[in-house]
Amino acid sequence: MALPPSFLDELRARTPLAPLIGRRVKLTRSSRDWKGCCPFHNEKSPSFYVYNDHYHCFGCGVHGDAISFVMQTQNAGFMEAIEQLASEAGMEVPKASPEAAAAEKQRADLNDILAAAGRFFEDQLAGPNGREARDYLDRRGLSAETVRRFGLGFSGPGRGALASDFARAGIEMNRLVEAGLMKQTEDGRMVDFFFNRVMFPIRDARGRPISFGGRIMGDGQPKYLNGPETAVFSKRRTLYGLDLARADLANTRRQGERQSLLVVEGYMDVIALSQAGFPAVAPLGTAITPEQVEAIWQYHDRPVFCFDGDAAGRRAGRKAIDLALPLLTPEHGIGIAILPQGEDPDSIVTKRGRQGMADALGQDDLTVAIYDLLKDEIQPKSPDDWARFQTELDAAANAITQKAISSTYWGVLRDRWKNEWYAVRQGNRPAPQARANRPFTPGGRRGDWKNAPPPVPIPPRPLIQTDVQSAERARVLLAILLTHPQLLPDLEEPLGMLDLPPHLTRLRDALAAWLDGHPELDREALNAHLRRLGYDGDVSVVLEARHLPASAMPNASLTEAASSWWQIYGFMRQAQLEEEVAAKQRQFSQTQDAETARQLVALTEALQRLRSGDMDNIQ
C-alpha cells in the first residue's frame, strides 16, 4: 500500500533519531550532533554520525533515516518498520480505502500541475515578455545559476496565457483553481491568480512544488503575494527555501563542517543569502509559527533568527522570542540577530558580501536579544522603570517551560540587570522630574536614591491607548475583513505588520488561524467559528455600525472594500512612522551621535515615501 508522503514526513518528524539509534549504539555528543561506532561494520574509531533527520557513516557509507534504520537493524519490512515507529509515536497508519487513494492521487496531480506551471513561468522569464523581470533580477545581483536553482520565473504581463497553455494539454480550469493558480472573480470569470509578477516556486522539504509567491513588477498592491491555501499548501506549516537549505546543511555535514541556518523575513533575503553561502529559510509573509519552528528544528538544533534593524524588525524579533521561549529544550534552541538600522540580509550581502553578513550577524545570544529588546522598549530611566524592566525580564525567563533552561536564563538576565542598575545608582544624577517622585527612604533624606535598596518589582503598568483615531482605523480594517473574508489571503500579511490594541490583536490572530483551515472564505462560517471561540464581544465591538464606512458593509463590492482597506492601512502606517520619527528626534536631541542621526534619516525618508504614495518600500 502506498502511504501518503505527508504521513511519512510527520512520522519522521515525531521520531527523534538519537534516542532511536541510541538503543543499539552507544552515542556521544559531537558538537551539537552525535557519533558512535557504526552498527553496520566493525570499527574501533567512531565514524557513524547521527543528525536531526538522518544518519551517515563516513567509514562504510551507510545512510538513512528512522525507517531505514529499523529495517536495516531488525531485518524488518517497510510496513513492519512503519507500524512499529507509528505505534511508538502515537500515530495511526492510514488504512487503504478508495477515499484515501483518491485524496492522495489528487495531491499528486496538484504537484504535477504546479510543476508544469513552474516550467511555464520559467519559459516566460526567458522569453520576450520576461525582459523587465530579468532586468529586475539582474539589479538584485542574482546569478543565472541562482535563478535556475530557485526555479524563478515570470507570470507574464497579462492574464490568460497560463490557462491557454494548460488547455492545450487538456487540463481543466477547475484543476488550476484547486492548485491555487487561478481564481473566480465576482462576475464568475476564471482569471489567473498571478500576473505581471516575478514568480518564486514554494516547495516542501523534499523539493516538491506546492505553491507560488509573486513579486509585482511596477506599482500595485500587494507587492508580494502568496498562493492560497490548497490541499498541498498550508502557509503556517511551510518555510520558503527549506528544501535547498536542507540540502546545503547535509552537504556541509558530510564535509565535516557545521553551518548556521538563518531564518529571515522574505524571498529575496533567502535567495541572496543562499547565493552567498548561507543556508536560509523564511516564513511566508507572516510571523513565525510553532509548526514552522518545529520544522526548522528537524534540520538544525539552533537556527539563528535574523531581523531587520528597523522598528518593524525589532517587533518581529519580540514576537519570535515570545513564541520560541516556551518551546526551548536542552536539545533545541534559537539565536537572535538584529541587523543594523536600515539594513536587511539582501542589502548587506549585495553591498559587503559574505564576510559583511558574517560580521553583521555578530552577537546572536538569545539572552542578549531578550535583554536589549526589552530595554529598548521600556527605556528605563526612573526607579519605577527599572523595576518594570526587571519584572519583564523575569517574565521572559519564566515563559521557558524547561526548568533548567529557565533558571539559567533568569540568572543571566538578572545578573546583567543588577550590574546596570548598580551603575545607574552609583554614576547617574537623577533627572529633576524623577527626583520629585521618589519616595521617602527610612534613615535618609527624601529622594536619597543612591543609598536606597533596589525597588520591589511591580507588575508592568497597563499600556494606555492614547491614539483613539488609530484604534478606530484598526477597527474598520478588521470590520472590512469580517464582512469580506475573501480579502483575507491578500491582506493577512500587511495586517500582521500593524500594532493593534490587545482585543483587536486577539481577533486578528483568530482570523489568521481560521484562514489556515477554511479555504472557502465564507462570511457566515467565519462568524460562527468566532462565536464558538468566544469572540462574540470583540466581533460586536468591531462591527458596530457607528462610523463604519460603506466599504465595511456586506453589500459593498470586493473592489470597493479592498480599495478602502488599503487607503486606511496607508494612514495607519504613516501614523506609526510619524511616531517613530518623533521618538528618534527626541533621542537625537539628547545623544547627538552619528548612529542615531543615520537612523533618523532612514525613518524620515521612509515617511516621505509613504506620504508620496510609495507604499511598496514601506515594511
Side-chain angles (χ1 to χ4, degrees):
M1 175 184 110
L3 293 171
S6 57
F7 167 78
L8 296 176
D9 289 343
E10 185 173 359
L11 178 61
R12 293 184 180 97
R14 289 198 190 185
T15 307
L17 262 183
L20 174 68
I21 295 176
R23 300 173 192 171
R24 291 179 172 267
V25 179
K26 183 179 179 180
L27 298 175
T28 59
R29 273 287 187 183
S30 175
S31 184
R32 292 189 174 94
D33 304 313
W34 300 85
K35 68 178 180 180
C37 290
C38 179
F40 303 107
H41 80 286
N42 293 323
E43 64 175 6
K44 295 181 180 179
S45 299
S47 61
F48 181 79
Y49 282 76
V50 179
Y51 308 103
N52 281 338
D53 62 333
H54 72 283
Y55 57 85
H56 182 81
C57 178
F58 292 92
C60 67
V62 68
H63 184 90
D65 60 9
I67 299 170
S68 57
F69 185 80
V70 172
M71 294 174 65
Q72 292 167 348
T73 57
Q74 300 182 28
N75 195 26
F78 177 74
M79 286 305 301
E80 186 180 355
I82 291 293
E83 289 170 357
Q84 175 185 323
L85 293 174
S87 175
E88 294 176 355
M91 298 175 63
E92 184 175 347
V93 179
K95 305 296 184 183
S97 68
E99 293 79 11
E104 182 55 33
K105 184 178 186 305
Q106 181 194 23
R107 285 191 288 269
D109 289 346
L110 292 182
N111 288 138
D112 291 340
I113 290 173
L114 290 162
R119 292 190 291 271
F120 171 84
F121 294 142
E122 290 179 18
D123 291 342
Q124 289 289 307
L125 178 64
N129 290 333
R131 176 175 294 279
E132 182 184 1
R134 293 195 301 271
D135 291 343
Y136 168 77
L137 296 175
D138 286 341
R139 290 195 302 272
R140 301 302 295 262
L142 302 188
S143 67
E145 170 59 22
T146 296
V147 171
R148 182 203 61 76
R149 187 168 187 249
F150 280 87
L152 304 186
F154 180 57
S155 63
R159 285 175 164 158
L162 178 67
S164 298
D165 187 76
F166 274 86
R168 287 192 293 271
I171 298 176
E172 298 177 356
M173 197 81 69
N174 67 313
R175 300 295 286 153
L176 301 183
V177 174
E178 292 173 3
L181 296 169
M182 300 198 73
K183 61 181 179 180
Q184 189 172 13
T185 63
E186 291 183 67
D187 57 7
R189 292 181 299 113
M190 295 291 187
V191 298
D192 297 37
F193 194 88
F194 300 100
F195 69 97
N196 195 32
R197 291 180 181 270
V198 172
M199 299 301 292
F200 301 83
I202 300 171
R203 304 162 177 154
D204 64 15
R206 298 194 171 198
R208 295 170 296 193
I210 55 177
S211 188
F212 290 91
R215 199 277 188 197
I216 198 165
M217 290 285 90
D219 298 329
Q221 290 290 343
K223 181 168 66 172
Y224 285 96
L225 176 66
N226 293 318
E229 302 276 321
T230 68
V232 296
F233 175 54
S234 169
K235 186 184 298 185
R236 67 182 294 107
R237 297 177 183 276
T238 304
L239 288 153
Y240 180 72
L242 181 58
D243 58 319
L244 298 179
R246 174 191 181 193
D248 290 340
L249 290 171
N251 287 336
T252 57
R253 283 168 177 163
R254 281 194 286 271
Q255 297 167 8
E257 302 173 5
R258 182 172 178 82
Q259 176 70 286
S260 295
L261 175 61
L262 303 183
V263 184
V264 291
E265 298 186 52
Y267 300 122
M268 291 304 301
D269 291 332
V270 169
I271 296 171
L273 287 169
S274 176
Q275 182 170 273
F278 294 93
V281 298
L284 296 170
T286 56
I288 196 82
T289 66
E291 293 88 345
Q292 289 168 333
V293 173
E294 295 290 350
I296 293 168
W297 277 336
Q298 291 181 43
Y299 305 105
H300 201 288
D301 55 9
R302 190 182 178 276
V304 177
F305 287 67
C306 184
F307 296 102
D308 301 349
D310 57 12
R314 300 181 81 82
R315 287 195 297 270
R318 275 297 313 276
K319 289 180 181 178
I321 289 173
D322 292 343
L323 171 73
L325 287 176
L327 305 177
L328 297 180
T329 69
E331 294 78 26
H332 294 123
I334 69 168
I336 296 283
I338 305 295
L339 299 180
Q341 175 72 26
E343 299 279 16
D344 58 39
D346 182 17
S347 68
I348 292 176
V349 167
T350 300
K351 290 184 291 189
R352 298 196 288 276
R354 177 181 173 83
Q355 187 57 49
M357 187 64 202
D359 294 341
L361 288 173
Q363 175 62 262
D364 64 2
D365 189 294
L366 181 54
T367 60
V368 173
I370 293 171
Y371 193 97
D372 289 347
L373 288 173
L374 281 172
K375 186 177 182 181
D376 182 68
E377 183 179 300
I378 297 173
Q379 297 188 2
K381 296 180 178 62
S382 69
D384 283 353
D385 292 337
W386 280 91
R388 179 188 168 200
F389 183 25
Q390 176 189 325
T391 302
E392 294 283 359
L393 292 172
D394 290 348
N398 291 334
I400 303 172
T401 56
Q402 291 280 337
K403 292 184 178 179
I405 304 175
S406 176
S407 176
T408 301
Y409 273 53
W410 185 91
V412 171
L413 294 170
R414 182 61 72 90
D415 285 348
R416 184 175 171 188
W417 180 91
K418 285 181 179 178
N419 289 336
E420 292 195 6
W421 167 241
Y422 179 81
V424 169
R425 291 174 57 205
Q426 296 300 316
N428 287 353
R429 293 179 62 85
Q433 181 179 359
R435 182 166 54 244
N437 293 328
R438 290 189 194 109
F440 174 74
T441 304
R445 293 176 289 107
R446 178 177 178 84
D448 186 6
W449 72 310
K450 288 188 177 181
N451 298 316
V456 177
I458 58 173
R461 291 169 292 184
L463 296 177
I464 301 174
Q465 176 63 29
T466 57
D467 192 352
V468 177
Q469 187 179 38
S470 179
E472 182 63 12
R473 286 171 175 164
R475 181 180 79 91
V476 174
L477 291 184
L478 285 171
I480 292 174
L481 293 178
L482 286 171
T483 52
H484 302 282
Q486 302 94 320
L487 299 175
L488 270 170
D490 291 346
L491 302 181
E492 180 195 10
E493 296 173 17
L495 180 66
M497 295 164 54
L498 294 175
D499 288 331
L500 304 179
H503 69 290
L504 298 184
T505 299
R506 292 193 302 270
L507 195 55
R508 175 180 62 188
D509 294 342
L511 288 175
W514 177 82
L515 175 62
D516 183 52
H518 296 79
E520 69 274 18
L521 302 177
D522 176 74
R523 180 171 65 248
E524 296 302 324
L526 170 59
N527 288 329
H529 172 76
L530 294 175
R531 284 195 299 272
R532 285 195 301 272
L533 294 180
Y535 287 98
D536 306 61
D538 293 334
V539 171
S540 298
V541 170
V542 169
L543 294 180
E544 184 182 359
R546 176 178 54 88
H547 303 316
L548 279 183
S551 57
M553 301 301 173
N555 59 352
S557 70
L558 287 179
T559 301
E560 178 186 2
S563 176
S564 175
W565 197 96
W566 279 112
Q567 183 180 18
I568 297 169
Y569 176 81
F571 287 139
M572 290 194 67
R573 288 296 292 136
Q574 179 173 330
Q576 289 185 0
L577 274 173
E578 287 172 345
E579 291 176 1
E580 293 172 16
V581 168
K584 193 59 63 178
Q585 287 172 336
R586 290 193 296 270
Q587 181 181 347
F588 181 69
S589 67
Q590 297 173 357
T591 63
Q592 297 290 316
D593 64 300
E595 177 59 21
T596 303
R598 191 174 64 79
Q599 295 172 3
L600 178 58
V601 169
L603 284 171
T604 303
E605 289 176 351
L607 180 58
Q608 290 172 346
R609 287 197 299 270
L610 184 55
R611 285 171 172 168
S612 67
D614 179 17
M615 286 198 294
D616 281 3
N617 296 312
I618 306 300
Q619 295 294 334

